Amino acid sequence: MARALIVGGGIAGDTLALLLERDDWEVTVAEIAPALRTGGQTVDLRGDSREVLQQAGLLEQALGCLVPQSGAAWIAADERRLAAMPVEAFDGQGLVSKEELLRTDLARIIHEAAGPGVTHRFGETVEALEDKGNRVLARFRSGGAEEFDLVVGADGAHSRVRALRFGPEENYRKPLGLAHAWFTLTETPDTPALDGWFLMHNAPGRRSVEARPGHPGQQEIGFTFAADTLPPRRDREAQFALLERTFAGVGWRTQEFLAAAKQAPDFALDTFDQVDMPCWRDGRVVLVGDSAWCASPLSGLGTAMALRGAAELTAALRSAEVLDDLDRLPAALAAFEAAMRPRVASAQELPPGRVAMVAPNSALGIRINAWVMRAVQSKLVRPLIARAMANSEHGRGSQTADAPSRVHSA
C-alpha cells in the first residue's frame, strides 16, 4: 500500500488525509500541536467550502454546527452604527453568510471523519527530508525515521516542510502591513450581547477591534493593527504588551478585550502575509494550503482554498492512477499545480485598497469606509461590483459575483 506523510493537521492536512485514505492510501499526519487545534474564527460554507464538504459527505454535519448570524456592522466607540450589512444583503452572498461555523468545529468534523487508515501523531513534526530512490525518508523530531511515497507540507504559512525543502520563509513571505490577534471570550452576565452581529470598531492609526458570535456563551474577538514583524510567538508577555501599547486610548470594549486576551487559552497573534512560490513541488514532496499559497485572511478564502487544494491534489493522484504505478507521482503533482495555479493567483489578487478598508488610517478614512460599505449595497453600485468580480476567485468563492466578496473577513 502506498504511504503518504502529511505534515500539518489543519483543514488542508486533515481533509487531504481523509480523501487519500478513501482512495486506499496509508496516511500518517504529523501535527506539532499536542492535540487537535482549537480556536480560529468563523468560516462560511459558500463556494468551494460547500462543494468540497458535500463531495466528502460532511456538509450536513457542518450545517449542524452553524453559528446564528445577523450581519456585519461598523460602529463608533459608543456603538452607534456607521454602516451595516445584514446577512440578507446581496441575496445572502454579502460579507456575512447565514451559513457560518467556527473553524474549530469544521476542523473537528473533518478530523473525526478519518478512518483507521489515517494515523495522527500529535506533538510531532519532521526534522529532515531525504530522497531515497523513489521514496522520501522523513526524520522525525521525536526520533526515528520512516520512508514514504509522498510527503505533503500542509503546516501553514510558517511551514517547516517548506523551509526544509524549498528554503527560508523570507524567500516567499510577502507582508501586507497588518497583524491580527484573535481569541475566544467567555461571556459573563455583564457581557454586552452581540445578537448575531459581527461588530467592527475602527480607530485612527490602522487599528480595528472586532467581536463576532461564537458558541453559546462565547464571543470571538479580534485586534487588527499595522505591523510587519511581531515579538516571538512564545513570548506572550511581549505580545500582550504590544497590544496594550497599540490600542491604548481606543474606545468601545477595547479594555475589556485586552484584559480577556490574557486569560484566553486560544489566544493567537500573527501577521497578515501572502506566500508566493514559483513552484510547490520538489520530487515527491509537495505543498498544499497556506504552506504553498497563503492568500492571507484578508482574502476571505483561506479555508475554501485549503479544502479545494486537498480535493484537487487527491483528484490529480487518482486521475494519474498513481496507486497502479508510483512512478507517475511527479507528473500527478505537476498536474495538481497546473490546476490550482490560476485559482491561487486569483485568490491572491486582493481588491484595491484592501488594507485601508480593513484598518483605515485616519478619521476621514473611517468615515469614507463606512460610506463605501453603505454605497456598495445600493442598486446603482451592485452591477459594477458584479462586473469587477465576475471572473475572480473572490466572486466564485462566494458563489456569486454580485457580492462584496467578504472584503472584511478575518
Side-chain angles (χ1 to χ4, degrees), residues 298-387:
L298 298 184
S299 72
L301 293 170
T303 298
M305 295 300 288
L307 290 165
R308 174 55 62 192
E312 290 290 345
L313 178 52
T314 305
L317 295 168
R318 184 188 308 127
S319 179
E321 298 181 334
V322 167
L323 291 183
D324 294 334
D325 184 354
L326 288 168
D327 287 339
R328 298 171 182 164
L329 192 145
L333 299 185
F336 154 70
E337 183 161 350
M340 282 300 297
R341 276 285 175 187
R343 306 192 75 152
V344 168
S346 180
Q348 291 187 330
E349 289 181 1
L350 300 179
R354 182 69 179 92
V355 170
M357 286 189 285
V358 172
N361 192 39
S362 65
L364 176 61
I366 293 169
R367 292 195 295 271
I368 291 174
N369 184 65
W371 177 84
V372 169
M373 291 302 107
R374 297 193 301 270
V376 295
Q377 299 177 69
S378 71
K379 292 182 179 179
L380 179 63
V381 176
R382 283 186 59 170
L384 301 177
I385 296 176
R387 284 196 293 272

Side-chain angles (χ1 to χ4, degrees), residues 124 139-145:
E124 184 67 284
R139 299 189 184 277
F140 292 98
R141 174 171 293 183
S142 61

Side-chain angles (χ1 to χ4, degrees), residues 237-365:
E237 290 305 314
Q239 293 181 344
F240 294 140
L242 174 61
L243 288 180
E244 292 278 0
R245 292 193 305 271
T246 302
F247 288 89
V250 176
W252 188 40
R253 297 170 59 189
T254 299
Q255 294 307 309
E256 171 196 351
F257 294 158
L258 288 171
K262 298 177 181 179
Q263 310 301 320
D266 63 346
F267 174 85
L269 173 65
D270 206 349
T271 49
F272 281 164
D273 304 325
Q274 290 191 339
V275 172
D276 186 7
M277 299 187 67
C279 186
W280 305 330
R281 65 194 193 282
D282 179 23
R284 295 174 178 271
V285 178
V286 67
L287 303 176
V288 68
D290 283 350
S291 303
W293 60 65
C294 180
S296 90
L298 298 184
S299 72
L301 293 170
T303 298
M305 295 300 288
L307 290 165
R308 174 55 62 192
E312 290 290 345
L313 178 52
T314 305
L317 295 168
R318 184 188 308 127
S319 179
E321 298 181 334
V322 167
L323 291 183
D324 294 334
D325 184 354
L326 288 168
D327 287 339
R328 298 171 182 164
L329 192 145
L333 299 185
F336 154 70
E337 183 161 350
M340 282 300 297
R341 276 285 175 187
R343 306 192 75 152
V344 168
S346 180
Q348 291 187 330
E349 289 181 1
L350 300 179
R354 182 69 179 92
V355 170
M357 286 189 285
V358 172
N361 192 39
S362 65
L364 176 61

Side-chain angles (χ1 to χ4, degrees), residues 7-20:
V7 182
I11 300 296
D14 267 3
T15 302
L16 180 61
L18 170 66
L19 298 178
L20 288 181

Side-chain angles (χ1 to χ4, degrees), residues 33-324:
L36 187 65
R37 292 181 186 268
T38 59
Q41 299 198 15
T42 312
V43 297
D44 70 54
L45 294 180
R46 292 177 284 195
D48 282 320
S49 295
R50 186 182 190 88
E51 183 178 327
V52 175
L53 289 172
Q54 187 166 34
Q55 290 172 351
L58 302 179
L59 181 59
E60 291 305 314
Q61 288 177 260
L63 291 172
C65 295
L66 298 183
V67 176
Q69 304 289 326
S70 299
W74 294 260
I75 61 172
D78 59 4
E79 211 159 301
R80 174 174 49 88
R81 295 199 176 181
L82 306 176
M85 186 179 294
V87 291
E88 295 82 9
F90 299 94
D91 298 323
Q93 299 297 334
L95 171 61
V96 174
S97 163
K98 290 183 179 180
E99 296 182 345
E100 306 225 5
L101 75 164
L102 295 179
R103 183 201 172 281
T104 188
D105 288 330
L106 180 58
R108 173 184 51 79
I109 289 168
I110 296 169
H111 179 80
E112 292 178 352
V118 178
T119 300
H120 283 86
R121 300 182 186 177
F122 289 104
E124 184 67 284
T125 189
V126 291
E127 292 292 339
L129 297 169
E130 305 171 20
D131 290 328
K132 294 289 185 180
N134 61 357
R135 306 194 94 191
V136 179
L137 178 69
R139 299 189 184 277
F140 292 98
R141 174 171 293 183
S142 61
E146 296 178 40
E147 291 186 354
F148 296 89
D149 300 289
L150 170 66
V151 175
V152 181
D155 45 343
H158 304 295
S159 170
R160 182 162 185 79
V161 172
R162 188 182 63 225
L164 288 172
R165 198 73 178 204
F166 299 87
E169 181 175 310
E170 54 264 29
N171 292 351
Y172 310 111
R173 174 179 178 252
K174 179 184 175 183
L176 298 178
L178 292 178
H180 185 66
W182 63 97
F183 63 92
T184 300
L185 176 146
T186 300
E187 295 177 340
T188 71
D190 296 326
T191 302
L194 297 176
D195 297 324
W197 284 92
F198 174 16
L199 301 182
M200 291 165 278
H201 172 55
N202 294 124
R206 300 209 184 283
R207 297 175 293 176
S208 178
V209 184
E210 307 106 23
R212 65 187 310 173
H215 288 147
Q218 296 180 333
Q219 297 178 13
E220 301 301 325
I221 308 303
F223 291 101
T224 305
F225 57 100
D228 283 336
T229 60
L230 296 169
R233 277 178 279 176
R234 294 184 179 181
D235 192 345
R236 285 300 175 86
E237 290 305 314
Q239 293 181 344
F240 294 140
L242 174 61
L243 288 180
E244 292 278 0
R245 292 193 305 271
T246 302
F247 288 89
V250 176
W252 188 40
R253 297 170 59 189
T254 299
Q255 294 307 309
E256 171 196 351
F257 294 158
L258 288 171
K262 298 177 181 179
Q263 310 301 320
D266 63 346
F267 174 85
L269 173 65
D270 206 349
T271 49
F272 281 164
D273 304 325
Q274 290 191 339
V275 172
D276 186 7
M277 299 187 67
C279 186
W280 305 330
R281 65 194 193 282
D282 179 23
R284 295 174 178 271
V285 178
V286 67
L287 303 176
V288 68
D290 283 350
S291 303
W293 60 65
C294 180
S296 90
L298 298 184
S299 72
L301 293 170
T303 298
M305 295 300 288
L307 290 165
R308 174 55 62 192
E312 290 290 345
L313 178 52
T314 305
L317 295 168
R318 184 188 308 127
S319 179
E321 298 181 334
V322 167
L323 291 183
D324 294 334

